[in-house]
Amino acid sequence: MPSSMMYYEDTYVVLPPDMQERFVNQPELEQILHDLLVEIEHQDLPTDLQNLTTINEQVQRLIKTACDLDCGDRGTWQWYVVRLDK
């Protein structure tokens, strides 16, 4: 039987366009994505985000279904779940 830890997502690595990786927790990732989405014009959002009414809904959709976001001139941001051993 798999351990429940296999499904626990609490740490992410974020790769901004300059490729300086950063380890963040979920609230920090949510804030990064929120700040990026605020600056993107509605018509430039990925199609699956355009029908969502709030930025918080868009952030949650990105975390659950994607691992990158094209921010036009700001480049493509990527994030991945990582599990760190203590």
Side-chain angles (χ1 to χ4, degrees), residues 16-18 36-37 39-41 43-46 68-78:
D18 66 7
L36 290 170
L37 288 169
E39 297 180 16
I40 297 175
E41 296 292 327
Q43 67 271 11
D44 295 334
L45 286 173
D68 63 9
L69 178 63
D70 182 0
C71 297
D73 294 342
R74 295 189 65 189
T76 299
W77 290 65
Q78 299 176 339

Side-chain angles (χ1 to χ4, degrees), residues 2-84:
S3 169
S4 63
M5 285 300 291
M6 294 285 295
Y7 305 102
Y8 186 66
E9 300 171 353
D10 65 343
T11 306
Y12 296 82
V13 62
V14 175
L15 297 169
D18 66 7
M19 299 305 282
Q20 294 295 316
E21 69 183 22
R22 206 169 117 196
F23 289 91
V24 298
N25 59 32
Q26 184 158 342
E28 292 169 324
L29 176 61
E30 290 172 353
Q31 187 62 51
I32 290 168
L33 294 175
H34 179 278
D35 294 346
L36 290 170
L37 288 169
V38 164
E39 297 180 16
I40 297 175
E41 296 292 327
H42 181 75
Q43 67 271 11
D44 295 334
L45 286 173
T47 318
D48 65 326
L49 299 182
Q50 291 180 2
N51 65 337
L52 300 173
T53 56
T54 68
I55 290 179
N56 288 334
E57 289 175 321
Q58 295 169 349
V59 166
Q60 293 308 312
R61 172 77 58 86
L62 282 173
I63 290 173
K64 291 178 183 173
T65 65
C67 61
D68 63 9
L69 178 63
D70 182 0
C71 297
D73 294 342
R74 295 189 65 189
T76 299
W77 290 65
Q78 299 176 339
W79 59 93
Y80 303 96
V81 173
V82 293
R83 288 170 184 83
L84 305 174

